[in-house]
């Protein structure tokens, strides 16, 4: 590590006492690089066993890595906390500008503890933290307004990022998100609720500095090689062109697109909500995260007519990607892309995780259809597949919670189905709602065992999709080995905080070569060890906080609805979970 | 910005002579702030020590040994294209090298001689 690199500085903020200190922790970054590797160590240090996720004792950790501000595509901030949604490890990554801003402010990690006596927002700059009154911002109807107010009120020079919560975070909905730069999210596992519990409305982070390197010539050489690869690789091009929304049609065609709460895997309106249709009808702008030449952020321009006046429109720019189209589209049977975008707008205004919100609405629709919940429970909102307007009304009620049912829905489908029944079609894994892949056994095993219960942990869908047509797939042992190897390597990527989209560029050799000019000497073998250790620490934290792989619920629905690799067997999946757990604890 | 800073063999944003900012939140897109190489540059006109000298073909050349760090140049540019080095308390002015354009993957930035390309909208 370069002796003048500020990456080693950890900013620790206590909201209860309104104090802060900067702690030099080169040990953390030398042992675990940054990002996820450093965050889990800080979480172990700062989160007491059995902590209340919504109590002042639950710390929020943000961590970035040494490549940020120096190499392209190193654009993620890793957040760790104890999750109010699943009760154990909370980990969420966001792009946008926050990673570069934290680095330019002169920190490698930020730890936020305690609970503010009154609503507050933080302004973080180099060597300075301001605790600002947010009483007037508390209760604002829209997360977007909160962002605009912070942007206009806080000057701040240099590279700036604005994190904030919406009404869902204030209400401590367990899957509330934190929004950064309007279009990026710490989406999953409820960081927004943790912000809300701390009376923390938002954070403005700004900074501007030079980052010294040990060998400028080698640095520029490695930079150019990565930049060339990033701008010429067809793999990156696809993220720029249609974005991940390009996956809608292939998944539909292969019968892996969860539709109407996974009662089907092909959606008759897939064409209308495809990435191609979205781009040709609505694409209004593409954006990039800081220091990314790819620009995968796709914004749709949605024109909403005035309710009474002719020729009078409001035009909103709304982000979309594959997961959003799945969760707020096919899973709810919404065939009209404008309907999906209107629902996405409301989810954004409220500040909910779009994926969990979609799965919750899908469960509620089926529960209503089957008579498990009544119209009164739904506060008179007659949920129906494809009806975007009723879903918009329901999203508002999940945050306002006028009935017991909405209070239950505000804690996710695992919780709601434990009260109202319908367990077999409650699509959650380890408590977290399902991502948009029904590709075969590996994706579901990944959702069950991944440390975030996310498709991004171990990319099981990719293991499934590599099976040639007509093939029967890998053996159980091969799947377990592939998932663990992928999840280990992804710990390295998320410790470097490079975007997973660039995983094809940042190979172990390239990572070692990119770090060397910064004065960080590691071999590909060292990286492998760091990935393994980080994954084991995360797994151990989960177990410490009550995660029990033997008690994982496997939703019956995933075994009823056929995958492209055939019907799944719950007992087989359970055996594979055991094997995964045995390997991790071995 | 990163490409400009990298000319000096460093990372980060502080050394950049080109700026990028949002046009009022990411919803409204971004604005690139770059020196347009004025024929009659106001930054040079307000310099009390002639540290900013007129450059043949437009724009200015910076002579740091003459600079007293008054900041008039930064305030005079209507585009905000004179960056500032807070450590040296001196301006960071564009040297028209074109490195930024060579790292722009989408041709938002182009390197061209002023007046040569009549189709360039600037």
């Amino acid at each position: 590590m370069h002796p003048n690199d500020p990456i080693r500085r950890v900013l620790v903020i206590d909201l209860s006492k309104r104090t802060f200190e900067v702690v030099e922790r080169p040990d953390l970054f030398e042992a675990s690089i940054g990002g996820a590797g450093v965050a889990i160590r800080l979480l172990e240090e700062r989160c007491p066993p059995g902590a209340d996720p919504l109590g002042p004792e639950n710390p929020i950790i943000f961590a970035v890595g040494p490549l940020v501000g120096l190499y392209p595509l190193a654009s993620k901030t890793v957040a760790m906390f104890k999750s109010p949604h699943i009760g154990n490890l909370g980990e969420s990554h966001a792009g946008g500008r926050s990673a570069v801003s934290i680095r330019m402010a002169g920190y490698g990690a930020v730890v936020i503890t305690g609970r503010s006596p009154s609503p507050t927002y933080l302004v973080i700059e180099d060597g300075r933290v301001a605790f600002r009154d947010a009483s007037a911002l508390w209760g604002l109807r829209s997360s977007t307004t909160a962002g605009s107010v912070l942007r206009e009120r806080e000057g701040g020079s240099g590279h700036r990022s604005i994190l904030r919560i919406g009404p869902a975070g204030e209400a401590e909905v367990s899957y509330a998100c934190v929004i950064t730069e309007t279009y990026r999210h710490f989406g999953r596992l409820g960081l927004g609720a943790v912000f809300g519990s701390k009376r923390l409305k938002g954070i403005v982070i700004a900074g501007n500095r030079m980052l010294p390197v040990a060998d400028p010539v080698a640095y520029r050489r490695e930079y150019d090689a990565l930049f060339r690869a990033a701008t010429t690789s067809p793999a990156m091009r696809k993220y720029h062109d249609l974005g991940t929304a390009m996956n809608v049609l292939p998944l539909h065609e292969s019968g892996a697109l969860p539709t109407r709460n996974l009662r089907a895997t092909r959606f008759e309106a897939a064409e209308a909500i495809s990435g191609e249709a979205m781009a040709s009808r609505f694409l209004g702008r593409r954006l990039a995260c800081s220091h990314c030449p790819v620009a995968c952020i796709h914004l749709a321009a949605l024109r909403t007519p005035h309710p009474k006046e002719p020729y009078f429109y409001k035009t909103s720019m709304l982000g979309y990607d594959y997961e959003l189209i799945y969760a707020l589209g096919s899973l709810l049977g919404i065939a009209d892309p404008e309907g999906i975008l209107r629902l996405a707008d409301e989810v954004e205004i409220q500040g909910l995780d779009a994926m969990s919100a979609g799965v919750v609405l899908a469960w509620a629709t089926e529960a209503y259809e089957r008579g498990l919940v009544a119209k009164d429970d739904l506060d008179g909102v007659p949920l129906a597949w494809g009806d975007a307007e009723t879903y918009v009304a329901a999203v508002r009620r999940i945050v306002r919670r006028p009935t017991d049912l909405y209070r239950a829905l505000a804690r996710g489908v695992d919780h709601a189905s434990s009260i109202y029944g319908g367990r077999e079609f409650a699509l959650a894994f380890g408590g977290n709602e399902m991502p948009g892949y029904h590709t075969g056994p590996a994706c579901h095993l990944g959702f069950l065992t991944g440390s975030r219960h996310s498709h991004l942990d171990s990319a099981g869908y990719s293991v499934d999709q590599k099976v040639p047509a007509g093939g029967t797939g890998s053996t159980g042992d091969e799947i377990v080995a592939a998932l663990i190897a992928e999840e280990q390597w992804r710990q390295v990527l998320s410790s470097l905080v490079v975007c997973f989209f660039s995983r094809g560029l940042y190979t172990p050799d390239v990572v070692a070569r990119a770090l060397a000019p910064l004065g960080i000497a590691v071999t590909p073998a060292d990286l492998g060890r760091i990935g393994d250790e980080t994954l084991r620490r995360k797994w151990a934290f989960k177990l410490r906080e009550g995660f029990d792989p033997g008690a994982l619920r496997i939703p019956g629905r995933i075994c009823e609805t056929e995958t492209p690799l055939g019907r799944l067997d719950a007992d087989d999946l359970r055996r594979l979970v055991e094997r995964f757990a045995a390997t991790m604890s071995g | 910005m990163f490409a400009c800073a990298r000319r000096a063999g460093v990372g980060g944003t502080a050394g950049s002579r080109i700026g990028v900012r949002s046009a009022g939140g990411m919803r409204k897109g971004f604005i690139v702030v770059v020196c347009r190489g004025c024929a009659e540059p106001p930054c040079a006109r307000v310099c009390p020590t002639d540290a900013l000298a007129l450059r043949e073909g437009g724009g200015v050349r910076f002579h740091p040994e003459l600079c007293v760090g008054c900041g008039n140049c930064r305030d005079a540019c209507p585009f905000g294209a004179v960056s500032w080095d807070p450590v040296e308390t001196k301006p960071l002015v564009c040297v028209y090298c074109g490195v930024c354009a060579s790292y722009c993957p989408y041709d938002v930035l182009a390197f061209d001689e002023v007046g040569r390309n009549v189709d360039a909208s600037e």
Side-chain angles (χ1 to χ4, degrees):
Chain A
M1 195 184 314
H2 191 284
N4 294 327
D5 192 323
I7 190 85
R8 74 197 66 213
R9 298 168 80 227
V10 177
L11 174 65
V12 183
I13 298 169
D14 184 334
L15 289 169
S16 303
K17 297 186 196 139
R18 303 208 162 175
T19 56
F20 70 94
E21 61 174 331
V22 178
V23 189
E24 297 267 335
R25 293 298 302 273
D27 57 313
L28 296 178
F29 291 86
E30 276 159 15
S32 300
I33 306 174
V38 166
I40 186 62
R41 285 169 178 266
L42 284 166
L43 192 66
E44 288 164 2
E45 290 178 12
R46 298 278 174 173
C47 183
D52 175 0
L54 299 175
E57 68 270 31
N58 188 17
I60 298 168
I61 320 274
F62 291 110
V64 299
L67 299 184
V68 175
L70 285 158
Y71 283 103
L73 288 142
S75 55
K76 296 281 184 181
T77 300
V78 170
M80 276 198 203
F81 48 97
K82 184 171 173 184
S83 166
H85 194 51
I86 64 170
N88 56 71
L89 180 67
E91 178 182 352
S92 192
H93 305 177
R97 291 186 280 190
S98 65
V100 170
S101 300
I102 290 170
R103 189 95 161 98
M104 291 297 98
Y107 304 108
V110 179
V111 178
I112 301 170
T113 64
R115 176 191 203 148
S116 176
S118 60
T120 190
Y121 72 89
L122 297 172
V123 181
I124 297 175
E125 290 166 308
D126 190 359
R128 197 179 83 104
V129 176
F131 299 79
R132 298 260 205 259
D133 177 35
S135 308
L137 300 178
W138 209 256
L140 270 177
R141 199 182 71 82
S142 166
S143 67
T144 312
T145 312
S148 305
V149 172
L150 293 186
R151 185 168 58 244
E152 281 165 32
R153 195 168 163 74
E154 293 302 325
S157 61
H159 209 87
R160 194 165 65 143
S161 179
I162 300 175
L163 281 58
R164 66 274 195 175
I165 57 170
E170 293 179 14
E172 298 174 13
V173 174
S174 68
Y175 47 97
C177 71
V178 171
I179 301 159
T180 169
E181 281 76 70
T182 315
Y183 299 111
R184 298 291 94 187
H185 306 84
F186 294 97
R188 310 223 70 193
L189 300 177
L191 182 60
V194 181
F195 266 52
S197 74
K198 296 188 175 311
R199 306 284 178 265
L200 178 60
K201 181 68 184 175
I203 305 176
V204 181
I205 308 163
N208 193 24
R209 65 171 58 234
M210 293 182 192
L211 294 172
V213 301
D215 181 345
V217 174
Y219 163 55
R220 278 197 292 249
R221 186 184 63 230
E222 296 307 326
Y223 187 100
D224 286 349
L226 271 161
F227 183 84
R228 248 194 322 278
T231 49
T232 56
S233 133
M236 303 307 292
R237 186 84 213 168
K238 66 184 185 182
Y239 294 118
H240 175 67
D241 287 347
L242 293 178
T244 57
M246 74 193 158
N247 289 330
V248 173
L249 282 180
L251 284 166
H252 155 76
E253 279 154 14
S254 65
L257 176 65
T259 301
R260 294 190 183 84
N261 206 32
L262 194 57
R263 291 202 291 211
T265 54
R266 289 190 173 87
F267 185 35
E268 66 282 0
E271 198 82 51
I273 65 167
S274 65
E276 291 81 353
M278 296 294 282
S280 65
R281 287 188 60 198
F282 297 100
L283 185 57
R285 180 171 287 138
R286 281 180 296 188
L287 298 173
C289 298
S290 290
H291 212 166
C292 171
V294 177
C296 77
I297 306 172
H298 286 60
L299 303 186
L302 177 67
R303 212 164 70 139
T304 312
H306 190 280
K308 293 181 204 136
E309 287 287 316
Y311 308 113
F312 199 0
Y313 297 95
K314 179 183 88 170
T315 302
S316 322
M317 302 297 282
L318 301 166
Y320 68 86
D321 60 11
Y322 170 69
E323 295 297 339
L324 181 129
I325 295 173
Y326 139 74
L328 304 180
S330 66
L331 197 70
L332 300 174
I334 300 179
D336 166 21
E338 292 200 23
I340 297 175
L341 291 171
R342 271 201 301 280
L343 180 55
D345 194 19
E346 190 61 36
V347 166
E348 180 79 3
I349 285 169
Q350 301 295 341
L352 289 165
D353 172 33
M355 290 162 73
S356 286
V359 174
V360 163
L361 294 171
W363 176 85
T365 309
E366 186 162 346
Y368 179 50
E369 227 176 42
R370 290 169 178 256
L372 297 178
V373 303
K375 199 167 165 183
D376 280 352
D377 295 322
L378 287 165
D379 192 32
V381 177
L383 293 179
W385 303 115
D387 184 350
E389 292 313 314
T390 59
Y391 287 127
V392 168
V395 163
R396 291 188 185 135
R397 284 165 176 77
I398 287 172
V399 177
R400 272 212 334 263
R401 293 161 298 165
T403 65
D404 285 339
L405 174 62
Y406 285 109
R407 275 187 280 282
L409 293 176
R411 295 176 59 184
V413 289
D414 226 12
H415 177 75
S417 65
S418 73
I419 296 173
Y420 292 89
R423 296 291 270 171
E424 66 282 7
F425 58 85
L427 298 173
F429 299 82
N432 198 19
E433 282 74 15
M434 180 181 167
Y437 303 89
H438 189 55
T439 49
C443 81
H444 288 291
L445 185 62
F447 303 156
L448 289 161
T449 57
S451 43
R452 298 184 278 161
H453 303 288
S454 148
H455 60 301
L456 296 171
D457 287 316
S458 49
Y461 59 92
S462 158
V463 175
D464 289 330
Q465 286 168 333
K466 279 178 193 146
V467 176
T472 49
S474 319
T475 66
D477 282 335
E478 286 166 350
I479 293 175
V480 170
L483 293 183
I484 290 179
E486 185 66 22
E487 193 165 0
Q488 281 170 339
W489 176 245
R490 287 185 178 217
Q491 304 316 304
V492 177
L493 296 175
S494 54
S495 297
L496 296 159
V497 301
V498 298
C499 178
F500 285 169
F501 288 171
S502 67
R503 62 189 179 275
L505 309 179
Y506 280 101
T507 59
D509 284 334
V510 169
V511 170
R513 280 208 306 275
L515 287 169
L518 313 187
I520 301 171
V522 289
T523 64
D526 295 334
L527 294 171
R529 272 195 299 279
I530 291 169
D532 180 48
E533 191 196 345
T534 300
L535 182 58
R536 285 176 189 281
R537 282 176 181 269
K538 284 166 57 173
W539 184 263
F541 183 88
K542 286 176 76 73
L543 295 180
R544 188 192 93 178
E545 295 302 321
F547 173 63
D548 178 1
L552 279 167
R553 184 177 67 82
I554 298 176
R557 176 62 47 81
I558 68 165
C559 300
E560 287 161 24
T561 302
E562 197 157 334
T563 77
L565 297 177
R567 213 173 279 276
L568 304 181
D569 182 274
D571 292 331
D572 284 349
L573 278 172
R574 211 162 275 124
R575 270 192 295 275
L576 295 181
V577 169
E578 274 170 31
R579 211 166 303 167
F580 189 103
T583 313
M584 286 305 300
S585 304
Chain B
M1 286 178 77
F2 290 105
C4 186
R6 212 163 46 248
R7 288 166 56 248
V10 295
T13 49
S16 176
R17 292 143 203 261
I18 181 171
V20 181
R21 60 180 172 83
S22 79
M26 282 175 77
R27 266 178 302 170
K28 299 188 177 151
F30 285 86
I31 292 169
V32 178
V33 181
V34 58
C35 175
R36 66 183 294 259
C38 305
E40 293 182 38
C43 55
R45 209 181 308 144
V46 299
C47 178
T49 60
D50 293 331
L52 289 173
L54 292 187
R55 179 180 169 277
E56 198 183 325
V60 291
R61 220 181 282 282
F62 181 51
H63 299 287
E65 69 283 4
L66 299 178
C67 177
V68 293
C70 69
N72 285 355
C73 52
R74 177 189 49 189
D75 301 337
C77 177
F79 305 104
V82 176
S83 303
W84 196 252
D85 181 339
V87 180
E88 300 288 326
T89 62
K90 289 189 193 318
L92 290 164
V93 293
C94 180
V95 296
Y96 319 104
C97 68
V99 158
C100 52
S102 68
Y103 284 93
C104 176
Y106 302 112
D107 301 332
V108 174
L109 300 174
F111 186 52
D112 207 348
E113 202 174 310
V114 175
R116 200 187 65 187
N117 186 347
V118 292
D119 292 330
S121 58
E122 293 199 43

